[in-house]
Amino acid sequence: MENINESSVPARVDAEDSSTDDLQGQELLQGLEKASWHGVSLCKYKGVWCPLTVFVPTLRCEKYFKARDTDIILATLPKAGTTWLKALTFAVVNRSRYPLDKHPLLTSNPQSLIPSLEFNIYDQENENPDLDLIPDPRIFSTHTHYDSLVSTVVVESKCRVIHICRNPLDQVISLWHFMINMIGIGRFVPLDEFLETYCQGMHVYGPFWEHVLGYWNAHLKSPEKVLFLKYEDLKKDINFSMKKIAEFIGFPFSLEEEKAGLIEEIAKLCSFDKLKNLEVNKVGMHSPHIKNSYFFRKGEIGDSANYLTPHMVDRIEKVVEEKFEGSGLKF
Ligand code: A3P
């Protein structure tokens, strides 16, 4: 897999006039429910609160993206552990390609090594980039719901999807900090207000329960297609989780690699402390609104206890209990 970022996405081929998609998107948008979520414009598309800025890219992705059987799609809610999953998947897939002391993760933020379908690939001037030029296995990320992936990814190919979820208490606190930080768009929102919209399912790519349950149910139905991970499990035993990821995507570690300590080495390279303290992640910019450092805050389980009152915890736990009841999924 090449070191792909926004600027290296190749130009499109044989697409219709670029204005067509935009016009169709604008027309479709007219009929959709819209909301301003703490300063971020959202529209409800197929049951998902999609940021307005990536609405047209989302439509383009649905229209043009053709998954290959060898593709790997990392599907996450923001703040569930996307950056970590990107680092691990990239490092596992490319382990024979780069020596660990000259690894792209030492000089690039994991977010830019694996492009997002809606935020990078289809957010270009050219609406249909030629993704055929990217060698196998292509790795993409997405924040969208499982149902939105169905036609392009699930039905038409044998590509694999990895989902990581996180305890909603920690996730909402992580999201709250991220939103406040965003340069130019971020603004302070009292936590109780932020929490209330989250519990109502109104937040980027919400409702969170539909997002998580979509991937959970798909995993139960087709475990060979959808791997379901929990941030907390990775924290508890990263070596075991990494072996699971490697096997799932068809890059299992050999006995020799295990004996040589390669799993531990990759885990160290992708660890929070290692990545957070790299120059690129301390001073680099991910986009005009987002510093690389925003993706590395605390990286802990249970940090929410430092912010949430017992009443707030109760409010989220009630939603979680109600929405996940009978699903078999526990946080
Ligand atoms: P906190 O805000 O709780 O610290 P995402 O990558 O989906 O945007 O999620 C960001 C969250 O994952 C942040 O959580 C961040 O600190 C944490 N994170 C980033 N890289 C990590 C890593 N290598 N290991 C563990 N957690 C990590």
Side-chain angles (χ1 to χ4, degrees):
M1 166 100 189
E2 293 294 338
N3 179 350
I4 303 158
N5 56 35
E6 290 101 295
S7 57
S8 61
V9 174
R12 75 181 172 117
V13 286
D14 66 5
E16 294 167 24
D17 178 355
S18 66
S19 62
T20 315
D21 287 343
D22 294 358
L23 284 175
Q24 282 172 350
Q26 294 311 324
E27 244 172 66
L28 186 58
L29 194 57
Q30 302 273 319
L32 300 182
E33 188 183 349
K34 293 172 209 71
S36 173
W37 175 67
H38 310 303
V40 177
S41 301
L42 306 176
C43 63
K44 200 158 200 186
Y45 178 57
K46 295 188 176 173
V48 184
W49 282 110
C50 173
L52 219 51
T53 47
V54 292
F55 175 63
V56 169
T58 300
L59 297 183
R60 290 174 181 168
C61 179
E62 280 183 358
K63 182 171 173 184
Y64 296 118
F65 182 67
K66 293 277 169 281
R68 283 185 203 152
D69 289 350
T70 47
D71 283 351
I72 301 165
I73 311 285
L74 309 182
T76 63
L77 268 178
K79 308 302 124 200
T82 318
T83 314
W84 196 10
L85 182 61
K86 282 189 177 192
L88 290 165
T89 310
F90 183 90
V92 166
V93 165
N94 292 295
R95 64 184 185 268
S96 54
R97 186 166 177 170
Y98 303 114
L100 290 171
D101 59 341
K102 291 198 181 69
H103 202 278
L105 278 166
L106 298 172
T107 48
S108 301
N109 181 284
Q111 292 283 347
S112 62
L113 291 173
I114 295 184
S116 153
L117 286 170
E118 60 271 12
F119 282 91
N120 307 138
I121 299 281
Y122 290 103
D123 192 25
Q124 303 287 309
E125 205 174 301
N126 292 328
E127 81 269 28
N128 184 16
D130 183 2
L131 305 180
D132 286 348
L133 299 180
I134 304 174
D136 288 340
R138 304 182 305 181
I139 316 175
F140 302 109
S141 69
T142 182
H143 284 319
T144 204
H145 288 208
Y146 183 76
D147 286 348
S148 304
L149 282 183
V150 166
S151 59
T152 41
V153 169
V154 180
V155 176
E156 295 164 17
S157 89
K158 292 197 180 93
C159 78
R160 272 154 290 194
V161 178
I162 307 181
H163 174 80
I164 186 164
C165 77
R166 188 176 188 187
N167 185 312
L169 298 171
D170 286 342
Q171 187 165 3
V172 72
I173 290 302
S174 183
L175 186 61
W176 183 57
H177 280 99
F178 192 82
M179 296 295 298
I180 291 172
N181 274 339
M182 289 215 304
I183 303 160
I185 335 177
R187 55 174 194 188
F188 183 78
V189 183
L191 182 55
D192 54 350
E193 278 177 34
F194 192 82
L195 208 71
E196 196 43 45
T197 49
Y198 188 74
C199 286
Q200 288 166 11
M202 193 207 272
H203 54 90
V204 274
Y205 293 101
F208 67 88
W209 54 88
E210 286 186 11
H211 192 285
V212 174
L213 284 174
Y215 288 98
W216 173 247
N217 290 328
H219 159 75
L220 293 181
K221 197 170 159 213
S222 315
E224 73 295 341
K225 175 96 196 162
V226 181
L227 178 65
F228 192 94
L229 301 171
K230 289 182 178 167
Y231 180 92
E232 292 74 20
D233 290 342
L234 266 67
K235 288 291 286 187
K236 280 178 204 144
D237 191 343
I238 186 59
N239 295 349
F240 176 77
S241 299
M242 213 195 321
K243 275 170 79 170
K244 211 163 149 181
I245 293 172
E247 273 161 31
F248 179 74
I249 57 181
F251 287 78
F253 286 96
S254 66
L255 264 180
E256 292 70 35
E257 285 177 319
E258 278 197 46
K259 276 190 201 146
L262 188 61
I263 298 178
E264 287 79 3
E265 289 295 320
I266 294 179
K268 216 186 290 167
L269 173 69
C270 299
S271 68
F272 179 80
D273 288 340
K274 175 75 187 180
L275 295 179
K276 184 184 171 78
N277 290 309
L278 292 170
E279 193 64 7
V280 62
N281 294 325
K282 282 204 269 192
V283 300
M285 292 297 290
H286 171 66
S287 69
H289 302 294
I290 301 170
K291 293 181 185 174
N292 284 344
S293 60
Y294 295 173
F295 293 104
F296 307 94
R297 195 182 60 91
K298 279 202 179 162
E300 289 172 3
I301 298 177
D303 179 50
S304 52
N306 296 317
Y307 298 90
L308 299 171
T309 63
H311 175 73
M312 290 170 171
V313 171
D314 198 45
R315 172 82 177 102
I316 305 183
E317 282 183 345
K318 280 215 171 84
V319 173
V320 169
E321 203 182 295
E322 181 195 322
K323 302 295 183 187
F324 290 86
E325 193 190 354
S327 68
L329 183 59
K330 298 255 178 299
F331 293 102

